[in-house]
C-alpha cells in the first residue's frame, strides 16, 4: 500500500469502504475539502435544512441528499455515504449509542443526509499565506468553546453557537479575516475578535471541546463559528435517531478547497 | 403624502398594507434590499428549500419562514407577508388564477414563505461604480432568456436556468464580475459572458421575458442567473397552490444592500 497521504480522495474512500482505514482524516488528501456529516430521518429534515439556512456560519451546507439517497452527486460522483466515512456515531434521543465503521445495516429509506463544510479547508489557506495555526503547530485538536451567541432557531433545532479559537498577532488577524472571508462555505470570516467574555467564554484555558493551546504575548484570540454547532444542536433537539461522523473522521470529497473560494 | 421615494421601507410597507400602493417597487427605498416571494404548502417546502440550496445563483435565499408564519424576522422585524407586497399572483396547478392585493383570506396554516434576493441590489452597486445598466438607461425591463443550463433538480422541482442580460464593454465586464461577486445573496457573479448560443440563447433581440435593449458596438453580453428561475421552476412543477409576488412588485426589506455584501 502506498503511503495514504499520497492517495487521491477516491482511493482513500475506497480504502475506507473496504474497512482498511478507520482513523481520523486531517492531513489526508491535502487540497481537497472534507465534510461534516449529519443524517436525520425525513421528519426532521425541513427543520434542520432551515436551521442551516438561518445559520450559515456554523452550518455551511456543501451538499444535501434527497430522502433515502446515499450517493453523493456534487461533492463526489461515486461516494456511498453509508460506507465512505471512517467512523460514525449513532445517537438515539440525543444519546451516543454506538460507534460504527459501516451503517448499511442501519440505513432507512427516509434518511436525509447533510454534508457541511469543515475548517480544515480554511486552515490550509491560512497556512499557505503564512498565518500560523497554533493547534496544528502544537499537534493538538483545535480549542472549541460554547458561547452566549444564540443560533437562530428553526423548528425543534436551537442552541448556542460553538466557536473554535485561533490566537493571532493583530497584523495576522487582518490577513486571517481576508482569507477566511473567501471561504463562506467552510465557516467563512470570524464571528468575534478579542475579549472572550464578550461572547460568554469564561476561561480560554479550559475549552469545552478539544485542547487548550498556547497564546503568545501580543496575540489576540480570534473566534470562528464551528462545525460542532450543528451536532450540538441536533443532540439538544434529541431526535429519535441521528447518525454523524465521529469527530475528526470526516468525509473526503473530490472538491478542491480552491473551488470553494470566492473573490 | 410625502413623495414615496423619500419614505423608509417601513413607511412604504405601511402604505402597501393599507392598500395605498399597488404599483411596482423599483426605485423605491433606494439602498434597501428588495425580495422575490414564493409561498408554497408545507408538503412542497423541503423540496423547494433543497432546490434553492442546490441552485444558490438563481435562488439565493434571504429568509425562509416556518410553516404558518407570516411575519418576517431578519428582513424586517414587523412585516406581514400577507399584506406588505403591492401585488400577488395566485397559481393553482401551475396556472395563474388571480392577482391579489392582500392574501389574508387565502392564508393557510401550512404555508411556507420563501424570500429570495433580487438583482435590484447589485444593479445599484453597479451604477454607483459607473458600470452602465442598459435597461435602466433605456427605461425598460431587463431582458431575460431561458437557457440550456439545467438547474440541479430537487424532488418535484427541476428546469432550465433563466438569465438576465446586461451588455458591457470588456473593461466594465471585469469590474461587473468583481462587484457582483460581492453580492452572492442577490444572484452573485455572472454565469456566462459572451456567445449567447453557448448557453442555448438563439436571439438576443427576442428575450423570453422583459424587453430587448440596445447592444452598442464592442459590447459583450453578460448573463446573470435570474430570479424568474424559481418561479418558472415552481410553475413547471405545478403545485396545487403557489403564491408569488407579481413581477416587479417586490417585498421591501429593512436590510441595506451593503449589509448583504461580502469582501
Amino acid at each position: 500500500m502506498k503511503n495514504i497521504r499520497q492517495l487521491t480522495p477516491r482511493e482513500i474512500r475506497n480504502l475506507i469502504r473496504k474497512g482498511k482505514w478507520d482513523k481520523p482524516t486531517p492531513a489526508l488528501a491535502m487540497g481537497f475539502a472534507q465534510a461534516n456529516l449529519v443524517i436525520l430521518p425525513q421528519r426532521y429534515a425541513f427543520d434542520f435544512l432551515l436551521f442551516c439556512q438561518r445559520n450559515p456560519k456554523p452550518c455551511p451546507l456543501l451538499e444535501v441528499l434527497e430522502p433515502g439517497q446515499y450517493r453523493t452527486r456534487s461533492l463526489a460522483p461515486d461516494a456511498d455515504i453509508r460506507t465512505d466515512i471512517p467512523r460514525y456515531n449513532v445517537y438515539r434521543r440525543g444519546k451516543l449509542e454506538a460507534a460504527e465503521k459501516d451503517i448499511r445495516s442501519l440505513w432507512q429509506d427516509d434518511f436525509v443526509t447533510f454534508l457541511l463544510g469543515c475548517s480544515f479547508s480554511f486552515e490550509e489557506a491560512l497556512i499557505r499565506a503564512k498565518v500560523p495555526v497554533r493547534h496544528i503547530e502544537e499537534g493538538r485538536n483545535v480549542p472549541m468553546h460554547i458561547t452566549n451567541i444564540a443560533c437562530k432557531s428553526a423548528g425543534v433545532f436551537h442552541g448556542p453557537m460553538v466557536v473554535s479559537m485561533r490566537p493571532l498577532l493583530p497584523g495576522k488577524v487582518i490577513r486571517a479575516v481576508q482569507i477566511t472571508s473567501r471561504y463562506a462555505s467552510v465557516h467563512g470570516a470570524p464571528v468575534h475578535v478579542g475579549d472572550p467574555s464578550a461572547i460568554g467564554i469564561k476561561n480560554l484555558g479550559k475549552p469545552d471541546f478539544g485542547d487548550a493551546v498556547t497564546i503568545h504575548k501580543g496575540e489576540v484570540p480570534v473566534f470562528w463559528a464551528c462545525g460542532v454547532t450543528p451536532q450540538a444542536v441536533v443532540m439538544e433537539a434529541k431526535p429519535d435517531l441521528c447518525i454523524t461522523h465521529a469527530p475528526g473522521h470526516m468525509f473526503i470529497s473530490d472538491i478542491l478547497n480552491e473551488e470553494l473560494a470566492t473573490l
Side-chain angles (χ1 to χ4, degrees), chain A residues 60-220:
Chain A
L61 289 170
L62 293 178
E63 183 165 11
V64 182
L65 306 184
E66 271 146 321
Q69 291 297 317
Y70 47 77
R71 293 213 177 261
T72 56
R73 302 202 301 186
S74 67
L75 286 185
D78 69 331
D80 185 332
I81 223 65
R82 305 168 306 170
T83 55
D84 291 5
I85 282 138
R87 193 172 282 273
Y88 301 84
N89 279 344
V90 180
Y91 294 84
R92 291 192 193 267
R93 300 188 184 281
K95 282 199 176 165
L96 179 62
E97 190 192 70
E100 302 284 350
K101 288 174 63 175
D102 182 319
I103 56 164
R104 278 177 295 180
S105 64
L106 296 171
W107 190 259
Q108 294 177 192
D109 283 348
D110 69 342
F111 276 0
V112 178
T113 295
F114 300 82
L115 291 154
L116 300 103
C118 162
S119 57
F120 296 172
S121 298
F122 77 66
E123 290 178 345
E124 204 174 283
L126 290 173
I127 290 167
R128 259 200 335 266
K130 298 186 187 162
V131 176
V133 179
R134 184 65 31 79
H135 65 276
I136 294 178
E137 291 176 343
E138 298 188 336
R140 299 181 191 170
N141 194 357
V142 68
M144 292 166 273
H145 297 267
I146 300 169
T147 69
N148 64 9
I149 304 169
C151 291
K152 291 182 186 172
S153 64
V156 298
F157 298 107
H158 61 92
M161 190 184 296
V162 180
V163 296
S164 58
M165 189 282 289
R166 293 164 189 81
L168 293 169
L169 289 169
K172 296 292 188 186
V173 172
I174 296 163
R175 194 75 188 103
V177 170
Q178 291 175 321
I179 292 168
T180 58
S181 292
R182 300 182 64 219
Y183 294 89
S185 54
V186 291
H187 304 307
V191 293
H192 183 60
V193 173
D195 182 11
S197 70
I199 56 171
I201 299 173
K202 285 178 191 157
N203 188 345
L204 277 188
K206 290 192 176 174
D208 295 301
F209 313 99
D211 306 318
V213 296
T214 311
I215 303 181
H216 296 306
K217 193 170 154 68
E219 286 184 336
V220 177

Side-chain angles (χ1 to χ4, degrees), chain A residues 11-73:
Chain A
E11 290 168 335
I12 299 173
R13 290 197 304 270
N14 277 336
L15 278 186
I16 293 169
R17 193 175 305 166
K18 291 174 184 162
K20 292 181 179 170
W21 182 269
D22 63 357
K23 295 198 264 304
T25 53
L28 298 190
M30 291 300 283
F32 291 90
Q34 299 196 16
N36 296 285
L37 173 75
V38 174
I39 299 172
L40 286 164
Q42 189 171 3
R43 59 189 172 281
Y44 303 105
F46 177 75
D47 283 357
F48 189 66
L49 187 52
L50 187 57
F51 186 85
C52 294
Q53 191 273 325
R54 288 183 179 164
N55 298 281
K57 282 200 158 181
C59 308
L61 289 170
L62 293 178
E63 183 165 11
V64 182
L65 306 184
E66 271 146 321
Q69 291 297 317
Y70 47 77
R71 293 213 177 261
T72 56
R73 302 202 301 186

